[in-house]
């Protein structure tokens, strides 16, 4: 009897062992991945939303709407989805594309009232008995209190859940469009600041540089030729038409040209020390963010000083940040006047302060990186001036145009 039941016991024990191993492997796989189905759905929704948002922030155009529509439709689980601006259908995604010609009429009802509209079979006449577009919900896209377009979700049958989901999706899409508009406004503001900064390139520097070059034409023609080339390269860089950002290496290279021209004028009176960590040379910084600070140090810090003056330019690697510092041992300035210049008070931008371009550079740094990355100025009459700022090595939207 014992011999007859032994194989059965072994089989049962083996079955329990296999079941245990399967359950263990399943728990291990779940631990490596998602803890539950709800977690997986949440992740997929967030990932899909992120992909759609990237396109929507580029603007409500046919191209960008077309790239975002599929992701939006998947978020709703709709049969079809249409995006319209204030005039036309931008894209249709999913089933029932033969209804796309009706989407503009559906959109117009929402554009006129600003209200969510629920569609039934009467709004979607169709001769195809297999068509799964029989109902829909159209919701407005609102940017700065203006209805700029609509999103319409189509399904086989109407439901309260689809209506709520479409309305919430429209609110989210509106937010993405508004963020994109804010980014474009920020870019336009930066471009305006940059144009203003170019206009502030000191006429005195230009006249003095040309005068210094002219003084060498007869006495040292080779030196005059070199200085003229430096001047041409400096102005070409400063007036270039390119992106809003450049590498710190390019900015420092142009500062070197500027200082060569100033040293031609000041001679031994102007000493320059440059201390740069190689790790920060490739960091992207706003175009013409450093040169105006160096010009301040020379023009206001040293020009009024009778003996030798020193400008020290330091770029330090701080891990995730790069710190740029411009320091001079010149005549210094009144801290209150400098603060007024940083606050945008143009009346403070006078010959008695180190404020030429300071407010402009400070505003651009804050626009790009936030208020924690503005200029820090340490100065006092007779004690020189130290200006510094820190920028992240990597920041969203900050890159040098190729």
């Amino acid at each position: 009897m014992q011999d007859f039941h032994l194989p059965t016991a072994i089989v049962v024990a083996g079955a329990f062992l296999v079941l245990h191993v399967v359950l263990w492997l399943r728990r291990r796989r779940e631990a490596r991945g998602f803890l539950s189905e709800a977690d997986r759905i949440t992740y997929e929704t967030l990932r899909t939303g992120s992909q759609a948002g990237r396109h929507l922030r580029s603007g409500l155009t046919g191209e960008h709407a077309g790239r975002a529509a599929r992701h939006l439709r998947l978020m709703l689980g709709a049969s079809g989805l249409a995006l319209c601006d204030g005039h036309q259908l931008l894209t249709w995604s999913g089933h029932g594309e033969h209804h796309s010609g009706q989407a503009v009429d559906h959109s117009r009802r929402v554009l006129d009232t600003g209200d969510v509209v629920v569609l039934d079979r009467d709004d979607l006449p169709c001769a195809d008995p297999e068509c799964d577009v029989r109902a829909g919900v159209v919701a407005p896209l609102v940017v700065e209190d203006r209805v700029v377009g609509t999103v319409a979700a189509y399904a086989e049958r109407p439901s309260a859940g689809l209506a709520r989901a479409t309305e919430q999706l429209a609110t989210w899409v509106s937010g993405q469009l508004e963020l994109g508009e804010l980014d474009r406004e920020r870019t336009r503001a930066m471009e305006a600041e940059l144009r203003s900064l170019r206009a502030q390139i000191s006429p005195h520097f230009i006249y003095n540089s040309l005068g210094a070059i002219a003084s060498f034409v007869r006495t040292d023609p080779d030196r005059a030729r070199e200085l003229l080339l430096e001047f041409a390269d400096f102005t070409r860089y400063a007036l270039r038409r390119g992106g809003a950002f450049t590498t710190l290496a390019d900015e420092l290279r142009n500062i070197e040209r500027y200082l060569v021209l100033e040293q031609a004028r000041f001679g031994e009176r102007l000493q320059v020390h440059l201390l740069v960590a190689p790790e920060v040379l490739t960091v992207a910084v706003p175009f013409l963010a450093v040169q105006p600070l160096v010009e301040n140090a020379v023009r206001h810090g040293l020009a009024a000083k009778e003996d030798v003056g020193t400008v020290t330019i330091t770029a330090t690697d701080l891990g995730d940040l790069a710190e740029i510092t411009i320091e001079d041992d010149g005549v210094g300035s009144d801290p209150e006047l400098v603060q007024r210049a940083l606050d945008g008070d143009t009346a403070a931008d006078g010959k008695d302060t180190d404020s030429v371009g300071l407010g402009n550079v400070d505003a651009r740094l804050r626009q790009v990186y936030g208020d924690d990355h503005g200029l820090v100025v340490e100065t006092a009459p007779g004690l020189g001036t130290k200006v510094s700022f820190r920028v992240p090595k990597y920041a969203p939207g900050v890159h040098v145009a190729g």
Side-chain angles (χ1 to χ4, degrees):
M1 181 70 70
Q2 291 177 349
D3 292 340
F4 177 77
H5 287 290
L6 184 58
T8 303
I10 292 174
V11 170
V12 172
F16 275 112
L17 179 61
V18 170
L19 178 62
H20 176 75
V21 171
V22 170
L23 291 174
W24 178 80
L25 289 172
R26 182 177 178 182
R27 285 195 298 270
R28 186 175 182 184
R29 185 172 63 249
E30 289 177 347
R32 287 180 176 179
F34 301 103
L35 298 177
S36 67
E37 182 68 12
D39 292 332
R40 185 189 67 78
I41 293 173
T42 300
Y43 168 78
E44 290 296 337
T45 301
L46 291 173
R47 185 173 68 89
T48 304
S50 175
Q51 291 171 336
R54 184 173 65 252
H55 301 304
L56 292 167
R57 283 193 292 274
S58 297
L60 192 60
T61 65
E63 178 185 358
H64 300 131
R67 292 176 178 175
R70 175 179 174 274
H71 302 297
L72 298 177
R73 182 173 60 84
L74 291 175
M75 291 172 71
L76 289 175
S79 300
L81 183 135
L83 284 169
C84 296
D85 61 12
H87 310 285
Q88 62 185 341
L89 173 70
L90 296 175
T91 189
W92 180 285
S93 175
H95 303 165
E97 191 168 357
H98 52 279
H99 288 285
S100 61
Q102 303 165 2
V104 174
D105 291 334
H106 302 157
S107 175
R108 191 171 294 116
R109 292 163 58 181
V110 175
L111 291 169
D112 292 341
T113 64
D115 298 327
V116 176
V117 171
V118 178
L119 308 172
D120 55 25
R121 284 178 176 266
D122 293 338
D123 301 300
L124 292 158
C126 183
D128 182 0
E130 302 297 325
C131 181
D132 58 355
V133 172
R134 299 294 187 179
V137 180
V138 189
L141 302 176
V142 182
V143 176
E144 297 181 350
D145 298 324
R146 295 181 295 107
V147 179
V148 298
T150 62
V151 56
Y154 298 93
E156 189 172 1
R157 60 181 60 88
S159 70
L162 180 64
R164 289 194 297 269
T166 304
E167 187 172 4
Q168 290 300 315
L169 181 73
T171 300
W172 180 81
V173 171
S174 298
Q176 299 302 305
L177 294 173
E178 195 156 88
L179 286 173
E181 183 61 30
L182 288 174
D183 287 342
R184 287 186 288 278
E185 287 182 2
R186 183 185 71 170
T187 299
R188 288 192 290 268
M190 287 180 57
E191 289 173 349
E193 294 281 1
L194 191 53
R195 288 194 297 271
S196 174
L197 195 57
R198 285 191 177 106
Q200 289 183 33
I201 293 176
S202 173
H204 296 290
F205 164 70
I206 295 174
Y207 299 149
N208 291 333
S209 295
L210 293 175
I213 293 170
S215 69
F216 288 105
V217 168
R218 290 189 177 182
T219 59
D220 193 343
D222 291 338
R223 178 80 185 281
R225 187 180 302 107
E226 292 173 1
L227 291 173
L228 191 58
L229 291 174
E230 296 285 3
F231 180 78
D233 288 340
F234 171 82
T235 53
R236 184 182 300 113
Y237 177 87
L239 301 176
R240 75 172 192 179
R241 298 300 177 195
F245 303 98
T246 188
T247 63
L248 181 59
D250 284 345
E251 190 80 353
L252 291 175
R253 192 173 296 115
N254 199 56
I255 288 169
E256 183 181 4
R257 299 181 189 113
Y258 167 80
L259 289 171
V260 166
L261 292 165
E262 288 289 43
Q263 284 179 319
R265 182 162 67 103
F266 287 107
E268 297 298 326
R269 286 184 54 208
L270 174 58
Q271 300 295 315
V272 179
H273 295 160
L274 191 63
L275 306 170
V276 179
E279 295 84 359
V280 301
L281 288 173
T282 58
V283 172
V285 295
F287 182 63
L288 288 181
V290 186
Q291 190 274 333
L293 308 182
V294 177
E295 183 175 353
N296 274 321
V298 174
R299 179 180 171 186
H300 290 304
L302 304 177
K305 189 176 181 180
E306 294 183 359
D307 53 355
V308 175
T310 302
V311 174
T312 302
I313 303 168
T314 307
T316 309
D317 181 15
L318 300 179
D320 293 338
L321 300 171
E323 182 177 58
I324 294 90
T325 302
I326 294 87
E327 187 171 7
D328 68 72
D329 59 358
V331 297
S333 185
D334 183 342
E336 290 188 8
L337 290 178
V338 172
Q339 186 58 55
R340 284 169 54 192
L342 294 176
D343 291 339
D345 183 355
T346 56
D349 193 3
K351 63 182 181 179
D352 296 325
T353 73
D354 289 335
S355 59
V356 174
L358 283 185
N360 189 302
V361 172
D362 182 65
R364 288 197 296 140
L365 289 171
R366 293 176 187 274
Q367 286 171 357
V368 174
Y369 304 108
D371 288 337
D372 292 337
H373 295 277
L375 294 180
V376 177
V377 182
E378 303 171 48
T379 188
L383 297 180
T385 301
K386 179 180 179 180
V387 182
S388 62
F389 64 92
R390 295 180 177 183
V391 298
K393 287 184 177 178
Y394 308 99
V398 178
H399 58 85
V400 179

